[in-house]
Amino acid sequence: REEDLYSMPPVRTAEFGGGFVFSREMGLPGNIVSRNITQGALADWTDGEVLRAIVSGVSRDGRVLFPIMPFHAYGTLDREDIYSVIAYLRVRDKVTRPVPPTEIDFPTSLFIRFAPTDPSFHTRPNPRDTVAYGEYMVRAAGCADCHTRRDAQGMAVGPDFAGGYEMLMPGKFLNRTANITPDNETGIGKWTKEAFIARFKSRTEADYRAMPVAPGQPNTMMPWWAFSNM
């Protein structure tokens, strides 16, 4: 990701090519490196093997993925939606680049062996049922993963969506996630629907790619550049 741009959009020439490091300095139990998910790495994988990694957290070689990859959430989505994700990854531009291995500290390296679960696919709700469909979209976007306070092992220890998850980011500034529950004082309880939508639509992806952030100045990992297109 472009760490010197606001919202850290992905490097255009290496999209889906992996290499972003969720590091010990950020409070993680090791250095967790995102993998290449283009045909540069997945060409020999079957669709079933890709499916298992996405929804169960098990790589082709049997290695368990660190659950910063939200496979628990993806395993509750509609099977057809996951098939569509795989189809899309198959036609993305191939990226071939070296990606360092993930290093997970003991004892977390043992604990995560119990993380994989069988998927429990659900039918995607009708968009007209805005609450059910909203819940589905929140799970698909992984909102709770960042907007829930977590301990040093990456386990959730705070109320869902109440924020407070702290990450020390490149440049040594502290990124603390926001409360997105409907609390009137600390959350979004006073936001109107129009204000919520406007916050997501206030800038285009191109805008974020033209917003430099000086070294050491606050930035965010919130992918506004992606959500602005929804």
Side-chain angles (χ1 to χ4, degrees), residues 11 92 95 112 123 130 158 167-168 174 176 200 204 211 224:
V11 178
R92 288 288 311 184
V95 176
I112 69 165
T123 300
T130 55
M167 293 170 280
L168 187 63
L174 186 65
R176 183 181 295 109
F200 280 79
T204 67
M211 295 174 62
W224 295 112

Side-chain angles (χ1 to χ4, degrees), residues 67-131:
I68 201 167
M69 161 69 175
F71 52 83
H72 294 103
Y74 295 157
T76 68
L77 302 181
D78 193 307
R79 184 191 294 267
E80 292 296 328
D81 282 347
I82 303 299
Y83 289 167
S84 295
V85 169
I86 297 170
Y88 176 72
L89 293 177
R90 293 297 194 194
V91 300
R92 288 288 311 184
D93 291 340
K94 178 180 177 180
V95 176
T96 303
R97 61 194 300 262
V99 176
T102 287
E103 302 172 352
I104 303 175
D105 298 335
F106 182 86
T108 305
S109 57
L110 295 181
F111 295 156
I112 69 165
R113 295 182 184 181
F114 299 98
T117 57
D118 291 333
S120 55
F121 294 114
H122 291 74
T123 300
R124 177 161 41 92
N126 188 321
R128 294 178 181 176
D129 185 347
T130 55
V131 172

Side-chain angles (χ1 to χ4, degrees), residues 1 3 18-26 28 30-34 68 99-102 168-170 221:
R1 297 175 71 166
E3 296 175 6
F20 187 84
V21 182
F22 297 88
S23 65
R24 292 182 179 90
E25 289 73 23
M26 295 167 64
L28 277 297
N31 291 322
I32 293 87
V33 186
S34 63
I68 201 167
V99 176
T102 287
L168 187 63
M169 301 303 298
M221 286 186 66

Side-chain angles (χ1 to χ4, degrees), residues 27-29 32 66-68 108 112 144-145 148-157 165:
L28 277 297
I32 293 87
F66 189 82
I68 201 167
T108 305
I112 69 165
D145 294 338
T148 302
R149 188 164 59 87
R150 297 180 179 277
D151 62 17
Q153 305 304 318
M155 302 300 295
V157 294
Y165 184 25

